[in-house]
Amino acid sequence: MSTPQNDLAYQDPPYRDLPYYEDVSPGRGTAPPRAWYASSDAARLSLNGIWRFRLSPTATAEDDSFARRDFDASRWDELPVPAHWVLHGHGSPAYTNTRYPFPVDPPRLPTENPTGDHRLVFDLPAGWEGGGTLLRFDGVESCARVWLNGVELGTFKGSRLPHEFEVGGRLRPHGNVLAVRVHQWSSGTYLEDQDQWWLPGIFRDVTLLHRPEGAVRDVFVHASYDHTDGTGTLRVDADPGGRLTVPELGIDVATGEAATVPVEPWSAELPRLYAAELATAGERVPLRIGFRTVAVEDGVLKVNGARILFRGVNRHEFHPEHGRALDEKTMLRDLLLMKQHNINAVRTSHYPPHPAFLDLCDELGMWVIDECDLETHGFASVGWRGNPVDDERWTPALLDRASRMVERDKNHPSVVLWSLGNECGTGRGLGAMADRIRGRDPHRPVHYESDLSCAHVDVYSRMYADHAEVERIGRRTEAPWGDRELDVRRRAMPFLLCEYAHAMGNGPGGLLEYQRLFETYERCQGGFVWEWIDHGIARRTGDGEPWFAYGGDFGEELHDGNFVCDGLVFPDRTPSPGLIEYKKVIEPVRITGDGRAGTVRVANGYDFADLSGLSFLWYYEVEGVSVAHGELAVPPLGPGESTELKLPEPPAPERPGEALWTVRAVLADDTRWAGAGHEIAWAQIPSAPHAPVPPPVSPAALRKGEGNVLVLGPGAFDPATGALRYLDGFEVVGPRLDVWRAPTDNDEGAAWQPEERYGTIWRGMGLHRMQHRVVSVQDSDSELMVRTRVAPAATDLALDTTFRWTADRRGRALRLDVSVVPGGDWPCPLPRLGVRLGVCGSLGLAEWYGGGPGEAYPDTRTASRIGRWTLPVDALQTPYVRPQENGARADVRWAELRREDGTGLRIEGDPAFWFTARRWTSEELDAAAHTTDLRPGGLVWINADHGQHGIGSQSCGPGVLPRHRLAAAPASFSFAFSTVTTRAGETWGDAGR
């Protein structure tokens, strides 16, 4: 079998008067693209390591004498390869989302074009002789010119794609000199505007591959599966030909011959791989073969005959210290985290990943949309004028990129869709790419999102469609688009959201509602959250405190701020609350129940796996304390099956209280991605309700104390303002009505949706500077009534508020009943509604009974489970790269803050409330640009909220659904305040349940 030559990619460049880094050709001198495989018995030599490096400000500042063997580079700096030179003290990173950081004048570039000369001297290992040798570059940004031993090999573009040169006749046993000139900007940059840091350099592996006579030039594995009879058909095409053996299946055939045998199919849930070997005259190549068939049938995307549901993420390659220079350990960590959080699919936004990542996807099980290294989004700012995908002079470069992706990755069973690229508008070049891909691999569907006509694709894909539109698409009643025949064709396609639920800062909200749509409508086959990781670059302050930098922190002339930090994990790969929420929302086992009837229903939501690999555990909890537990006998339900089971008889409680059943599905045995006991799914089923603290039956008398303060039960009040000053000796600041929160990235919203950019609207209304006027302070024999008007300056809006304080003569609790009546015509939701108070900073340990252990908001609360939780106040904070509202716990029945000796304060809510505690105010949180701007004060500030506005994902998606908005409406709620004493056996810093 011969690898097809890219007939367009190697023509003379159409701009003959331009230097190689500006002409629109993909390069010259490289070998045809071919399949990648991790190992063989042929020798290979890694050229990774420490190279010599020189940075120049322009592309022409230095001549090419550095490529000579006798050139003295001893005074040059040292630079690791793989690496980005801007992360090693040579220049600075820069971040833009869509805008090109230079004038849009394709294919030309500014004179200022940072250029890095790289030089390595190396020896060949003993026995490296005979045959040929390939010099392979797996990733260089953005254009490279290569010399070996003073002889120029050629040039290439396509930063995230492999390029090889035949160098066998130019190698020497000792003292080989490899010289590489890398330009940060090139014509290729116009094709790589992919919402990420601009990070030039040789950032992936550089390798010498020995090619003995008769070595494999290319291999194409065709391994299909027939779900009707359980057989797989295998044919391996190779150049040159040889033999293929699969010992486990008894296959021993010549290449090009097909064999059909019974097999276990490959899927993301059951990633069955068979070890095989391809043997030619000069090389033996181990292969891992997964049998599976991908097809669009009856308007549904199917694998092995079954509809699949993507529970996916978009994944840029990123490391906070190394940029896109990832090692295999980091790639594995990403996949393990994904699998452990129920994620089953990755879109490789917006370029093919390091090839080792796809090997791991094959092994661990992950559906992959493999995306071409192509995005021209910056042309949108000039009306798409000059867009390369609609200019035939660029077509050879587009076809070259498509071919290099397909040829490299064609043997991975995990790859189920090819994607033409991202956000390139429309154009003839995309059609040429689709034709090229189908001509080479007709057995995988083609994806592209930005052309709503869907003229060149097999699936209908959208970004950030809101819930209502997704439902219309699910019903196939979406609005018509363009040509009638194409519109009919599109309506018959399967649908996916290639980007949704923008995970920027606190959020994303609305995940549960999306997932229910995916599960309801067969056509809607899931989506890919944008995105996996925050791209914060690791930095330290002068005194060593770590922080993460984003756009603008390196003095960029043009940047897009913290829009680069929009992932489900923080830059150090710590899971965010958004990832915990996503795991719960997409859990592949659904557990529901009826506490009164004592039943539980278990439904298998997997596409291929049964439930035999899971154990089901139950716990009966009273007031957050487990009083009984056991194992539930669940049959090995197949995909789509469900069963209803009887729960055990609950034990008689020692004392009355809220009771809940918690049922958990966990791994029964160790797997390659998690250990036995790892939780897959859970549910809580109410059994008996919580009883809040009742109003005082025998009220305490109000009296005057020393210093003319008003004393009511354990509380001492300011007689002029009615403000609580002390609670049983604990000094208190407040409480007072509070509506402000430090706007989240989603509150700030996207510029193209100004009507719901609530952060801007709230500030414009003055909600961040509410003024409080005491209307009256009235005391009677047994209560203190304080009326206030809380209002922003320059408007006639207000919140008329009444605080009614009472206490029980027989107890130590102080009760606050709050009534709020809005005045004026409020044009938008409130950020929050509740009371804020400050307490002594020594009260540094929080314990609460309610939702936890992590933060939750009205539309991000699915993962919040009721229990008793203990954490230091400092651990209640979520360290978003750009500080913003965070840390609220939902459905809190009571919360305590305690000192090291166990004494402290207690708050109980009626109804349950949102609890937040932090060492800075919301105003200080709002003013901070980075985590290092937050400095603990002497107080702990508590928010006990009756309501919170939802989160949404409007930083680049839909806003908060109506039912999760906090309307300015009359409200009444109550709290009971008391003190707690030392508890025997408790120690400072206890955390967890």
Side-chain angles (χ1 to χ4, degrees), residues 192-227:
E192 297 173 4
D193 186 26
Q194 293 148 322
D195 186 11
Q196 59 184 331
W197 292 99
W198 299 100
L199 298 173
I202 305 173
F203 67 94
R204 286 185 185 162
D205 305 300
V206 183
T207 313
L208 275 182
L209 302 171
H210 189 217
R211 302 283 78 207
E213 292 296 329
V216 176
R217 286 188 288 272
D218 195 21
V219 56
F220 197 164
V221 175
H222 307 272
S224 62
Y225 178 72
D226 187 336
H227 67 278

Short mmCIF file of all heavy atoms in Angstrom, two decimals, residues 192-227:
data_model
loop_
_atom_site.label_atom_id
_atom_site.label_comp_id
_atom_site.label_asym_id
_atom_site.label_seq_id
_atom_site.Cartn_x
_atom_site.Cartn_y
_atom_site.Cartn_z
N GLU A 192 -4.35 29.64 12.93
CA GLU A 192 -4.20 29.07 14.28
C GLU A 192 -4.62 30.06 15.36
O GLU A 192 -3.95 30.22 16.38
CB GLU A 192 -2.75 28.62 14.49
CG GLU A 192 -2.34 27.50 13.54
CD GLU A 192 -0.85 27.16 13.61
OE1 GLU A 192 -0.14 27.75 14.46
OE2 GLU A 192 -0.41 26.32 12.82
N ASP A 193 -5.77 30.69 15.15
CA ASP A 193 -6.28 31.69 16.09
C ASP A 193 -7.24 31.02 17.06
O ASP A 193 -8.45 31.17 16.96
CB ASP A 193 -6.97 32.80 15.29
CG ASP A 193 -7.40 33.96 16.16
OD1 ASP A 193 -6.79 34.17 17.21
OD2 ASP A 193 -8.36 34.65 15.78
N GLN A 194 -6.70 30.28 18.01
CA GLN A 194 -7.47 29.26 18.73
C GLN A 194 -7.72 29.53 20.21
O GLN A 194 -7.74 28.61 21.01
CB GLN A 194 -6.75 27.91 18.55
CG GLN A 194 -6.79 27.43 17.12
CD GLN A 194 -5.56 26.63 16.72
OE1 GLN A 194 -4.45 26.94 17.14
NE2 GLN A 194 -5.75 25.62 15.90
N ASP A 195 -7.94 30.80 20.58
CA ASP A 195 -8.34 31.10 21.96
C ASP A 195 -7.40 30.46 22.97
O ASP A 195 -7.79 29.63 23.78
CB ASP A 195 -9.78 30.64 22.22
CG ASP A 195 -10.28 31.07 23.60
OD1 ASP A 195 -9.62 31.89 24.26
OD2 ASP A 195 -11.34 30.57 24.02
N GLN A 196 -6.15 30.87 22.94
CA GLN A 196 -5.15 30.33 23.85
C GLN A 196 -3.96 31.30 23.90
O GLN A 196 -3.90 32.26 23.15
CB GLN A 196 -4.70 28.94 23.39
CG GLN A 196 -4.10 28.91 21.99
CD GLN A 196 -3.76 27.52 21.51
OE1 GLN A 196 -3.46 26.64 22.30
NE2 GLN A 196 -3.78 27.31 20.21
N TRP A 197 -3.05 31.01 24.79
CA TRP A 197 -1.82 31.78 24.86
C TRP A 197 -1.04 31.62 23.56
O TRP A 197 -0.96 30.52 23.01
CB TRP A 197 -0.94 31.31 26.03
CG TRP A 197 -1.49 31.60 27.39
CD1 TRP A 197 -2.15 30.73 28.20
CD2 TRP A 197 -1.38 32.83 28.11
NE1 TRP A 197 -2.48 31.34 29.38
CE2 TRP A 197 -2.02 32.63 29.36
CE3 TRP A 197 -0.81 34.08 27.83
CZ2 TRP A 197 -2.10 33.63 30.33
CZ3 TRP A 197 -0.90 35.07 28.78
CH2 TRP A 197 -1.53 34.85 30.01
N TRP A 198 -0.45 32.70 23.10
CA TRP A 198 0.51 32.63 22.01
C TRP A 198 1.85 32.24 22.61
O TRP A 198 2.48 33.02 23.34
CB TRP A 198 0.59 33.97 21.28
CG TRP A 198 -0.70 34.40 20.66
CD1 TRP A 198 -1.59 35.31 21.17
CD2 TRP A 198 -1.27 33.94 19.44
NE1 TRP A 198 -2.68 35.45 20.34
CE2 TRP A 198 -2.50 34.62 19.25
CE3 TRP A 198 -0.86 33.03 18.46
CZ2 TRP A 198 -3.33 34.42 18.14
CZ3 TRP A 198 -1.69 32.82 17.35
CH2 TRP A 198 -2.90 33.51 17.20
N LEU A 199 2.28 31.00 22.30
CA LEU A 199 3.46 30.42 22.95
C LEU A 199 4.37 29.79 21.90
O LEU A 199 4.19 28.62 21.54
CB LEU A 199 3.04 29.36 23.98
CG LEU A 199 2.17 29.83 25.15
CD1 LEU A 199 1.71 28.62 25.97
CD2 LEU A 199 2.94 30.80 26.04
N PRO A 200 5.34 30.52 21.41
CA PRO A 200 6.19 29.98 20.35
C PRO A 200 7.21 28.99 20.88
O PRO A 200 7.55 28.98 22.07
CB PRO A 200 6.89 31.23 19.81
CG PRO A 200 6.97 32.14 21.00
CD PRO A 200 5.70 31.91 21.78
N GLY A 201 7.72 28.16 19.97
CA GLY A 201 8.81 27.27 20.33
C GLY A 201 8.62 25.85 19.84
O GLY A 201 7.58 25.49 19.26
N ILE A 202 9.63 25.03 20.08
CA ILE A 202 9.56 23.58 19.80
C ILE A 202 8.98 22.95 21.05
O ILE A 202 9.68 22.71 22.04
CB ILE A 202 10.96 23.01 19.49
CG1 ILE A 202 11.62 23.78 18.34
CG2 ILE A 202 10.87 21.53 19.15
CD1 ILE A 202 13.07 23.39 18.10
N PHE A 203 7.67 22.70 21.05
CA PHE A 203 6.99 22.35 22.30
C PHE A 203 6.59 20.88 22.38
O PHE A 203 6.03 20.45 23.40
CB PHE A 203 5.76 23.24 22.50
CG PHE A 203 4.67 23.01 21.50
CD1 PHE A 203 3.63 22.13 21.77
CD2 PHE A 203 4.67 23.68 20.28
CE1 PHE A 203 2.63 21.92 20.85
CE2 PHE A 203 3.67 23.47 19.36
CZ PHE A 203 2.64 22.60 19.64
N ARG A 204 6.82 20.11 21.33
CA ARG A 204 6.62 18.66 21.39
C ARG A 204 7.94 17.98 21.02
O ARG A 204 8.92 18.63 20.70
CB ARG A 204 5.48 18.21 20.47
CG ARG A 204 4.09 18.55 20.99
CD ARG A 204 3.00 17.98 20.10
NE ARG A 204 1.66 18.40 20.53
CZ ARG A 204 0.58 18.33 19.77
NH1 ARG A 204 0.67 17.85 18.52
NH2 ARG A 204 -0.60 18.72 20.22
N ASP A 205 7.92 16.66 21.05
CA ASP A 205 9.14 15.86 20.92
C ASP A 205 9.83 16.06 19.58
O ASP A 205 9.19 16.28 18.54
CB ASP A 205 8.79 14.38 21.09
CG ASP A 205 8.06 14.10 22.39
OD1 ASP A 205 8.62 14.38 23.44
OD2 ASP A 205 6.91 13.61 22.32
N VAL A 206 11.14 15.92 19.62
CA VAL A 206 11.97 15.84 18.42
C VAL A 206 12.67 14.48 18.47
O VAL A 206 13.31 14.15 19.48
CB VAL A 206 13.00 16.98 18.36
CG1 VAL A 206 13.80 16.89 17.05
CG2 VAL A 206 12.32 18.33 18.48
N THR A 207 12.53 13.69 17.39
CA THR A 207 12.98 12.30 17.44
C THR A 207 13.63 11.91 16.11
O THR A 207 13.18 12.32 15.04
CB THR A 207 11.79 11.35 17.70
OG1 THR A 207 11.01 11.86 18.78
CG2 THR A 207 12.27 9.96 18.05
N LEU A 208 14.70 11.11 16.22
CA LEU A 208 15.27 10.43 15.05
C LEU A 208 14.72 9.01 15.00
O LEU A 208 14.79 8.28 16.00
CB LEU A 208 16.79 10.37 15.13
CG LEU A 208 17.60 11.57 14.63
CD1 LEU A 208 19.09 11.25 14.77
CD2 LEU A 208 17.27 11.91 13.19
N LEU A 209 14.19 8.60 13.85
CA LEU A 209 13.61 7.28 13.69
C LEU A 209 14.40 6.52 12.63
O LEU A 209 14.43 6.93 11.46
CB LEU A 209 12.15 7.39 13.25
CG LEU A 209 11.21 8.18 14.19
CD1 LEU A 209 9.87 8.40 13.52
CD2 LEU A 209 11.03 7.45 15.50
N HIS A 210 15.06 5.44 13.05
CA HIS A 210 15.80 4.62 12.09
C HIS A 210 14.82 3.86 11.21
O HIS A 210 13.87 3.26 11.70
CB HIS A 210 16.71 3.65 12.84
CG HIS A 210 17.67 2.93 11.95
ND1 HIS A 210 18.02 1.62 12.14
CD2 HIS A 210 18.34 3.34 10.84
CE1 HIS A 210 18.88 1.25 11.20
NE2 HIS A 210 19.08 2.29 10.40
N ARG A 211 15.05 3.87 9.91
CA ARG A 211 14.18 3.20 8.95
C ARG A 211 15.00 2.17 8.18
O ARG A 211 15.53 2.44 7.09
CB ARG A 211 13.58 4.19 7.96
CG ARG A 211 12.77 5.32 8.57
CD ARG A 211 11.38 4.88 9.02
NE ARG A 211 11.41 4.15 10.28
CZ ARG A 211 10.52 3.25 10.66
NH1 ARG A 211 9.55 2.91 9.85
NH2 ARG A 211 10.61 2.66 11.82
N PRO A 212 15.16 0.96 8.73
CA PRO A 212 15.90 -0.09 8.02
C PRO A 212 15.24 -0.43 6.68
O PRO A 212 14.08 -0.09 6.44
CB PRO A 212 15.84 -1.29 8.98
CG PRO A 212 15.37 -0.74 10.28
CD PRO A 212 14.58 0.47 9.99
N GLU A 213 15.97 -1.08 5.83
CA GLU A 213 15.38 -1.55 4.58
C GLU A 213 14.16 -2.41 4.89
O GLU A 213 14.24 -3.33 5.71
CB GLU A 213 16.40 -2.35 3.76
CG GLU A 213 17.55 -1.52 3.22
CD GLU A 213 17.09 -0.47 2.23
OE1 GLU A 213 16.08 -0.72 1.53
OE2 GLU A 213 17.72 0.61 2.18
N GLY A 214 13.05 -2.13 4.24
CA GLY A 214 11.84 -2.90 4.47
C GLY A 214 11.05 -2.45 5.69
O GLY A 214 10.09 -3.12 6.09
N ALA A 215 11.42 -1.31 6.29
CA ALA A 215 10.66 -0.80 7.44
C ALA A 215 9.30 -0.29 7.00
O ALA A 215 9.06 0.01 5.82
CB ALA A 215 11.45 0.32 8.13
N VAL A 216 8.40 -0.18 7.97
CA VAL A 216 7.02 0.25 7.68
C VAL A 216 7.02 1.73 7.31
O VAL A 216 7.45 2.58 8.09
CB VAL A 216 6.12 0.00 8.90
CG1 VAL A 216 4.72 0.55 8.64
CG2 VAL A 216 6.06 -1.49 9.22
N ARG A 217 6.51 2.03 6.13
CA ARG A 217 6.34 3.42 5.73
C ARG A 217 4.99 3.94 6.18
O ARG A 217 4.86 5.12 6.52
CB ARG A 217 6.51 3.56 4.22
CG ARG A 217 7.95 3.45 3.77
CD ARG A 217 8.12 3.79 2.30
NE ARG A 217 7.57 2.75 1.43
CZ ARG A 217 8.27 1.70 1.02
NH1 ARG A 217 9.53 1.53 1.41
NH2 ARG A 217 7.71 0.80 0.23
N ASP A 218 3.97 3.10 6.18
CA ASP A 218 2.65 3.50 6.68
C ASP A 218 1.84 2.25 6.96
O ASP A 218 2.10 1.18 6.42
CB ASP A 218 1.92 4.39 5.68
CG ASP A 218 0.74 5.12 6.30
OD1 ASP A 218 0.73 5.25 7.54
OD2 ASP A 218 -0.16 5.55 5.57
N VAL A 219 0.84 2.41 7.84
CA VAL A 219 -0.04 1.31 8.18
C VAL A 219 -1.42 1.88 8.45
O VAL A 219 -1.57 2.96 9.04
CB VAL A 219 0.48 0.52 9.41
CG1 VAL A 219 0.67 1.43 10.61
CG2 VAL A 219 -0.47 -0.61 9.77
N PHE A 220 -2.45 1.18 7.97
CA PHE A 220 -3.83 1.60 8.17
C PHE A 220 -4.61 0.39 8.66
O PHE A 220 -4.76 -0.60 7.96
CB PHE A 220 -4.41 2.13 6.86
CG PHE A 220 -5.66 2.97 7.02
CD1 PHE A 220 -6.10 3.78 5.97
CD2 PHE A 220 -6.42 2.95 8.18
CE1 PHE A 220 -7.25 4.55 6.09
CE2 PHE A 220 -7.56 3.72 8.31
CZ PHE A 220 -7.97 4.52 7.25
N VAL A 221 -5.10 0.48 9.90
CA VAL A 221 -5.86 -0.60 10.52
C VAL A 221 -7.35 -0.37 10.28
O VAL A 221 -7.89 0.68 10.65
CB VAL A 221 -5.57 -0.68 12.03
CG1 VAL A 221 -6.46 -1.73 12.69
CG2 VAL A 221 -4.11 -0.96 12.28
N HIS A 222 -8.01 -1.34 9.69
CA HIS A 222 -9.46 -1.31 9.50
C HIS A 222 -10.03 -2.44 10.36
O HIS A 222 -9.82 -3.61 10.08
CB HIS A 222 -9.83 -1.55 8.03
CG HIS A 222 -9.13 -0.63 7.08
ND1 HIS A 222 -9.62 0.61 6.72
CD2 HIS A 222 -7.95 -0.76 6.40
CE1 HIS A 222 -8.80 1.19 5.87
NE2 HIS A 222 -7.77 0.38 5.66
N ALA A 223 -10.74 -2.08 11.41
CA ALA A 223 -11.27 -3.08 12.34
C ALA A 223 -12.72 -2.74 12.66
O ALA A 223 -13.01 -1.93 13.54
CB ALA A 223 -10.43 -3.12 13.62
N SER A 224 -13.64 -3.34 11.94
CA SER A 224 -15.06 -3.05 12.12
C SER A 224 -15.72 -4.12 12.98
O SER A 224 -15.15 -5.19 13.22
CB SER A 224 -15.75 -2.98 10.75
OG SER A 224 -15.66 -4.23 10.09
N TYR A 225 -16.93 -3.79 13.46
CA TYR A 225 -17.67 -4.72 14.32
C TYR A 225 -19.10 -4.82 13.82
O TYR A 225 -19.75 -3.80 13.52
CB TYR A 225 -17.65 -4.24 15.76
CG TYR A 225 -18.44 -5.13 16.71
CD1 TYR A 225 -17.97 -6.39 17.05
CD2 TYR A 225 -19.65 -4.71 17.23
CE1 TYR A 225 -18.68 -7.21 17.91
CE2 TYR A 225 -20.38 -5.51 18.10
CZ TYR A 225 -19.90 -6.77 18.43
OH TYR A 225 -20.60 -7.59 19.28
N ASP A 226 -19.59 -6.03 13.72
CA ASP A 226 -20.98 -6.29 13.34
C ASP A 226 -21.76 -6.66 14.60
O ASP A 226 -21.60 -7.77 15.13
CB ASP A 226 -21.03 -7.42 12.31
CG ASP A 226 -22.44 -7.63 11.75
OD1 ASP A 226 -23.41 -7.26 12.43
OD2 ASP A 226 -22.55 -8.18 10.63
N HIS A 227 -22.60 -5.74 15.07
CA HIS A 227 -23.31 -5.99 16.33
C HIS A 227 -24.41 -7.02 16.19
O HIS A 227 -24.92 -7.52 17.21
CB HIS A 227 -23.90 -4.67 16.86
CG HIS A 227 -24.99 -4.12 16.00
ND1 HIS A 227 -24.75 -3.38 14.86
CD2 HIS A 227 -26.36 -4.21 16.10
CE1 HIS A 227 -25.90 -3.02 14.31
NE2 HIS A 227 -26.89 -3.52 15.02
#
